[in-house]
Amino acid sequence: MKIEEKRELLERWYGAMKDQDREEVSNWKKRFESRSDMFTDPELYKFYELLSARYYLLNKDYDKADSKLEATGPVEEDKWHWLNYYYYFFKGISHFDQGQYQDALDCYMKAKPIVTDISLEEIGEFYFELGLAYQRNYEITLSVKYTEKALEIFKRKANNRRIITCENLLGINNKDFQQYKEAEHHYHEALLHAKKSDDPFLQMMVLHNFGAMCSEQDDFKVAINFLTKANPLIEPYDHHIKARNLYLLAKNYFKAEEFQEARLKLDFGLKISKQFGNQEYIHRFNLLKSKFEEPERFEQTYIDGISYFQDHKWWDYVAVYSLELADYYRENELHRPSTEYYHLAEIARNKIEKERARQ
């Protein structure tokens, strides 16, 4: 088999990863492992190793993925320069999946000049992930810019899966700008395509984010409806999404004064978060519990949670929870700590605005 034919097989494997077709991805992996002599060419071998890292990322095995990446690249040979795109891109995805959003952007910036040497569809893939990273770094205008570029490419390529994910991300971006009608339009477009695709993951993703937007607007019943529809579609390996969905369900059930359902969702979500060591949602569930169920623990739980989010520079959480703690102190006529946390909430909001204005 010629080198070009072997590279085409690797591209097909990578395509299955992008489509998250786990069965096909696994079949390709078994096929390659049974032919250990298949990638003796050094350049092709490095490409295979990089795609193996992407395989581990798909399966949330970050230790193996990072080990593969560090052992493989970046490459120094000029003629293999195109491989550095995959090295930095996959390294960025690893950072992103582990909540290291600025590190992800830093890697994407190194991959960006090289992506033009790859296929048009891969440019779309890269732009989408770049848009996602900008969104999590509060640079919403840049997120919209690159997501729209990705959407344009995927519409030309009739890539239904990525059309859905782009429409979904545009919905999130418009929600962040509090442009709810525009966000709703994008979510409806995403749902329309998701139903045509018959892909439960994509349907779940859009239903979940639609529910999150309704939760933000305090539309409890509609939020619960969307989040409840999303919940059974979440795969066990997507424990972070599961935790977030259960958190939003518990929060909305509490607000709707359906306390039994709220407790069930909270306890299950906290159990999952502890099982997978998800510190973000361990804190968020404990904060929710102290607010509605354990007022005697409210102050210390909020102080601990805010400190954790401040250390991780998650300024949206710092702003929200600092404001709630400041209100608590004000209601109890504790003016000094109240002033301190109002000030911290303002600092956090200013940091978010500065991040958004950087573009």
Side-chain angles (χ1 to χ4, degrees):
M1 189 182 294
K2 295 179 180 178
I3 289 177
E4 293 79 9
E5 293 173 326
K6 292 179 181 179
R7 179 171 172 176
E8 185 181 343
L9 293 179
L10 289 174
E11 294 282 3
R12 289 170 64 184
W13 185 34
Y14 180 40
M17 291 185 217
K18 290 188 282 188
D19 291 339
Q20 296 199 359
D21 187 336
R22 292 175 182 277
E23 185 177 354
E24 186 177 355
V25 168
S26 180
N27 288 338
W28 279 112
K29 179 67 170 170
K30 290 174 184 175
R31 179 180 177 182
F32 294 145
E33 286 178 341
S34 68
R35 292 282 308 277
S36 57
D37 61 334
M38 200 169 190
F39 305 113
T40 53
D41 175 79
E43 185 177 8
L44 206 60
Y45 177 74
K46 283 186 177 290
F47 190 33
Y48 170 68
E49 289 291 281
L50 288 167
L51 292 181
S52 295
R54 186 67 183 92
Y55 167 81
Y56 290 123
L57 288 174
L58 181 65
N59 290 288
K60 314 295 183 187
D61 192 338
Y62 301 113
D63 289 340
K64 285 186 178 179
D66 291 340
S67 178
K68 282 282 185 188
L69 288 169
E70 290 310 308
T72 307
V75 300
E76 296 180 0
E77 295 87 343
D78 288 342
K79 65 177 181 177
W80 296 354
H81 188 58
W82 63 279
L83 290 168
N84 282 338
Y85 161 73
Y86 293 100
Y87 170 77
Y88 288 118
F89 186 36
F90 297 163
K91 196 170 179 64
I93 290 173
S94 179
H95 282 305
F96 183 90
D97 285 355
Q98 297 178 78
Q100 301 153 358
Y101 304 122
Q102 186 56 55
D103 290 335
L105 264 182
D106 292 343
C107 287
Y108 291 158
M109 288 301 100
K110 292 176 181 177
K112 189 180 177 184
I114 316 171
V115 71
T116 52
D117 299 332
I118 318 294
S119 68
L120 179 63
E121 189 139 6
E122 184 62 23
I123 293 172
E125 187 76 16
F126 176 75
Y127 282 165
F128 170 75
E129 295 293 343
L130 185 57
L132 200 58
Y134 275 128
Q135 189 274 330
R136 292 309 297 260
N137 279 282
Y138 312 112
E139 298 184 57
I140 307 302
T141 302
L142 281 173
S143 180
V144 170
K145 173 184 174 180
Y146 283 102
T147 307
E148 286 180 340
K149 283 186 173 186
L151 181 59
E152 182 182 347
I153 291 170
F154 292 131
K155 282 183 174 178
R156 285 167 59 187
K157 293 290 185 178
N159 186 330
N160 193 56
R161 179 183 181 83
R162 273 310 190 206
I163 289 171
I164 296 164
T165 54
C166 287
E167 292 284 9
N168 179 68
L169 182 51
L170 289 170
I172 294 170
N173 283 325
N174 279 278
K175 184 264 296 180
D176 287 346
F177 273 139
Q178 297 183 338
Q179 296 173 339
Y180 294 118
K181 285 190 179 297
E182 188 66 22
E184 188 172 340
H185 165 74
H186 286 294
Y187 285 138
H188 277 303
E189 284 293 308
L191 271 178
L192 184 67
H193 285 279
K195 287 175 181 176
K196 289 179 183 177
S197 75
D198 196 31
D199 186 320
F201 171 81
L202 296 174
Q203 292 177 38
M204 174 280 296
M205 178 182 64
V206 183
L207 288 165
H208 171 80
N209 286 308
F210 214 151
M213 183 183 75
C214 295
S215 175
E216 190 172 293
Q217 296 174 281
D218 283 341
D219 195 347
F220 313 137
K221 290 185 178 180
V222 177
I224 288 169
N225 179 48
F226 278 121
L227 294 165
T228 300
K229 287 180 179 178
N231 199 48
L233 300 174
I234 303 173
E235 295 286 354
Y237 54 79
D238 283 326
H239 55 85
H240 186 84
I241 298 175
K242 190 76 169 178
R244 185 171 186 262
N245 202 70
L246 288 165
Y247 170 83
L248 289 171
L249 276 169
K251 180 180 177 181
N252 282 280
Y253 275 125
F254 273 126
K255 289 186 175 182
E257 298 186 349
E258 296 185 39
F259 298 113
Q260 185 174 354
E261 279 296 325
R263 291 185 196 104
L264 286 171
K265 299 297 185 284
L266 191 154
D267 290 343
F268 187 36
L270 187 55
K271 180 181 177 181
I272 289 173
S273 299
K274 287 179 178 178
Q275 180 183 349
F276 290 98
N278 187 335
Q279 293 299 318
E280 175 185 351
Y281 274 92
I282 290 172
H283 280 285
R284 296 200 77 191
F285 278 113
N286 282 329
L287 287 159
L288 192 64
K289 194 170 189 176
S290 71
K291 182 176 182 179
F292 288 101
E293 296 277 285
E294 298 176 346
E296 72 279 1
R297 296 182 59 222
F298 181 91
E299 181 181 6
Q300 191 58 53
T301 302
Y302 266 68
I303 290 172
D304 292 343
I306 291 166
S307 176
Y308 174 81
F309 295 132
Q310 197 172 0
D311 288 344
H312 286 75
K313 299 181 180 180
W314 290 344
W315 301 115
D316 50 346
Y317 292 159
V318 174
V320 169
Y321 292 123
S322 292
L323 192 59
E324 289 184 10
L325 183 55
D327 287 343
Y328 164 83
Y329 283 132
R330 180 178 55 80
E331 289 166 6
N332 287 277
E333 298 184 352
L334 297 166
H335 302 298
R336 184 171 180 177
S338 174
T339 301
E340 288 176 1
Y341 279 96
Y342 279 131
H343 181 59
L344 181 55
E346 186 63 26
I347 289 173
R349 283 195 293 264
N350 287 339
K351 285 184 179 293
I352 293 169
E353 289 305 315
K354 283 181 181 178
E355 291 283 358
R356 288 175 174 169
R358 279 198 315 179
Q359 55 267 34

